[in-house]
Amino acid sequence: MKDGDAISLIHRISEDLLSRGEQIKPFLDAALAHLAQAGMARGTITLLDTTSGKLFIEASHGLSPAQQRRGVYRVGEGVVGQVIERAQPAVVPVVGESPVFLDRTGARKHLDPDQIAFVCVPIKPYRREVVGPLSVDLGAVTDVS
């Protein structure tokens, strides 16, 4: 999958599938499954808990349950937190060269960070406030440990 194609697909999913209302979990899983079929290595849908002000991974592909639980961010923290704060997409062409890429989940610790691109787009249901980001890894699916 080319980077431009990936960004377009991710953006379309964030606007279409993820803006379906309160019964969102089946759509989150379907969105990630569709992206995996298109070549995504790992992906997450992180939602903002307005009570705590924290972002939690609600759905994931390619992460263990423990890794998913570790994916907690604050608004403005790391790439994920910046995407929700700015309501703008972010592309990190090489995560190994990014000082703001946190890998909070630890899902990439045995992978070559110079072979992973990270794309993150805000989820804005019906053009309202951002509820969280959809993020994907492209590349580096092989463990180097």
Side-chain angles (χ1 to χ4, degrees):
M1 173 184 295
K2 296 178 184 174
D3 287 349
D5 294 341
I7 293 167
S8 176
L9 177 61
I10 294 164
H11 188 72
R12 193 169 64 239
I13 287 173
S14 77
E15 287 185 339
D16 295 342
L17 284 178
L18 302 179
S19 60
R20 303 264 178 153
E22 293 186 23
Q23 295 298 326
I24 198 169
K25 182 69 170 145
F27 294 105
L28 300 179
D29 294 335
L32 291 173
H34 187 68
L35 286 167
Q37 289 176 345
M40 170 189 74
R42 280 161 303 285
T44 63
I45 297 172
T46 309
L47 298 178
L48 177 64
D49 177 336
T50 56
T51 304
S52 69
K54 293 181 181 178
L55 296 151
F56 296 92
I57 296 175
E58 183 69 24
S60 69
H61 171 82
L63 274 69
S64 70
Q67 290 169 333
Q68 183 172 328
R69 283 190 301 276
R70 287 193 296 265
V72 179
Y73 304 86
R74 293 198 176 277
V75 174
E77 181 180 45
V79 177
V80 170
Q82 288 178 1
V83 165
I84 193 167
E85 181 177 60
R86 298 174 182 162
Q88 295 291 319
V91 176
V92 179
V94 180
V95 299
E97 296 175 0
S98 174
V100 295
F101 186 81
L102 301 177
D103 191 20
R104 178 76 38 86
T105 65
R108 300 156 193 92
K109 70 180 179 180
H110 296 294
L111 301 175
D112 182 352
D114 293 333
Q115 300 298 313
I116 303 170
F118 184 75
V119 180
C120 190
V121 298
I123 302 167
K124 291 178 73 170
Y126 305 111
R127 309 232 188 272
R128 295 183 189 159
E129 292 181 27
V130 176
V131 297
L134 165 63
S135 60
V136 303
D137 286 7
L138 303 172
V141 294
T142 306
D143 192 325
V144 293
S145 61

